[in-house]
Amino acid sequence: MGADGPDAWARDKRSRMERRVREWGDLVERASDILTPGVPVVAHLGFAANGARDENTTGWVSCSDREREEALVKGRKPLGGDPRTGYGAVGSDDLHELGAWGVEGGHVPERVATGDCPWATLAVSDGVRKVLDRAAVVGEAWHGAHEDQIAVGVANLARHSRQIRAKLPPALAWDRDDKPWCLWRWALTMMSWSAGTGGASRHVARYADALAALPEAQRWGAFVRLAASYDGDGRKHARPSYSVLRTCQKLEAARAHADAAALAWLADGLDADRDAVYARLVAAST
């Protein structure tokens, strides 16, 4: 994703978004109604637009001893990449992120989607059972289980929402966890997944007084404007501008495929200033 402008990033994801609206829309709608009530389908698909089904960022399906040994012999991990170097290499402790929603599935050399990692915990949760009418799969069965990847992915964002809410100043936290979601909550949830809960909460804290003075419906747009003025140091997610930019990319992918109701839900108040604010946000992110 990098520091591409949100509009350019969204255009690059256009065909993927169109296909997924057709293929995944019904299940995403069911999962969102149960786990993230109020969030439009296109918002979830915008979040997932950078990922692929059956993807694991480390390149492993099971990360079993046998799979790692075979990969070392072949010089290639099951899902691609050199097992000796780079992200997910044998001997690393890199994070397995599974499916288009990037659900945390443990670390190399742990077995994928087992133990107490978020995937394995959420797979048997009440929410996922309601979505699928069963528990989701665990272990190497995650690969190819496309419905499970969606259901657990949506549940994982609800988990990140709870985590970031607990880190926010009370004046900036949403009132109830079961309240229908708003853009402020959704955007911070995505940013928490991307930048980490600690990183996202630090970015919000930098501008907390200015944001707390505004109604909830105006906060995300104001946060984008404030982050676009950042002139400090740091790399990538150490910069609030970068974390906000990554979030705006996903929101623009959603906005490009939204109907009138979803557009109203995604309204952030940038309006005629959007291009100028995004240009400053990109400049502040690099």
Side-chain angles (χ1 to χ4, degrees):
M1 293 173 69
D4 290 344
D7 290 335
W9 191 87
R11 285 194 299 272
D12 184 60
K13 308 302 179 186
R14 180 181 295 127
S15 61
R16 175 177 285 181
M17 287 287 294
E18 290 172 349
R19 183 174 65 254
R20 289 180 176 179
V21 167
R22 295 192 306 269
E23 296 178 354
W24 295 2
D26 289 346
L27 181 56
V28 173
E29 183 175 21
R30 174 174 170 80
S32 187
D33 286 348
I34 292 170
L35 297 164
T36 60
V39 179
V41 169
V42 290
H44 271 289
L45 295 178
F47 170 83
N50 198 55
R53 64 184 184 182
D54 292 338
E55 177 180 68
N56 182 358
T57 50
T58 62
W60 303 103
V61 172
S62 69
C63 206
S64 65
D65 292 344
R66 179 178 178 180
E67 188 177 70
R68 296 197 308 277
E69 290 168 2
E70 290 179 352
L72 288 169
V73 172
K74 295 177 180 177
R76 185 184 185 279
K77 291 180 286 185
L79 302 178
D82 189 332
R84 298 176 182 85
T85 61
Y87 194 85
V90 171
S92 75
D93 64 351
D94 293 327
L95 177 65
H96 304 302
E97 294 176 279
L98 310 179
W101 271 256
V103 180
E104 299 89 336
H107 295 259
V108 178
E110 298 166 0
R111 294 288 293 263
V112 176
T114 59
D116 61 356
C117 71
W119 177 288
T121 301
L122 292 167
V124 296
S125 66
D126 289 344
V128 167
R129 289 179 186 273
K130 288 178 182 177
V131 175
L132 297 175
D133 294 322
R134 58 174 173 80
V137 299
V138 295
E140 64 186 281
W142 75 268
H143 189 261
H146 303 147
E147 292 184 347
D148 302 55
Q149 291 171 26
I150 292 170
V152 177
V154 175
N156 192 46
L157 287 176
R159 180 181 72 90
H160 277 282
S161 173
R162 294 189 292 271
Q163 289 181 335
I164 187 62
R165 182 180 184 272
K167 290 282 189 179
L168 292 175
L172 294 176
W174 32 97
D175 293 338
R176 299 193 318 272
D177 194 52
D178 61 348
K179 183 179 179 181
W181 289 43
C182 63
L183 178 62
W184 173 242
R185 179 178 182 178
W186 175 245
L188 292 193
T189 295
M190 291 195 294
M191 192 167 71
S192 178
W193 176 88
S194 186
T197 305
S201 62
R202 285 192 295 273
H203 295 334
V204 175
R206 178 184 292 275
Y207 308 111
D209 290 344
L211 294 169
L214 297 171
E216 187 175 67
Q218 297 178 19
R219 285 179 186 153
W220 177 249
F223 190 24
V224 176
R225 293 177 188 271
L226 289 164
S229 69
Y230 179 75
D231 61 359
D233 56 9
R235 289 189 67 253
K236 294 193 173 183
H237 283 298
R239 306 172 73 89
S241 50
Y242 183 83
S243 297
V244 169
L245 174 62
R246 294 284 291 264
T247 306
C248 287
Q249 290 170 339
K250 299 166 188 174
L251 290 170
E252 281 305 310
R255 191 174 283 110
H257 298 273
D259 60 16
L263 278 174
W265 190 88
L266 290 161
D268 54 16
L270 295 181
D271 302 327
D273 296 334
R274 187 176 305 280
D275 289 346
V277 172
Y278 280 171
R280 294 197 300 272
L281 190 63
V282 171
S285 300
T286 55

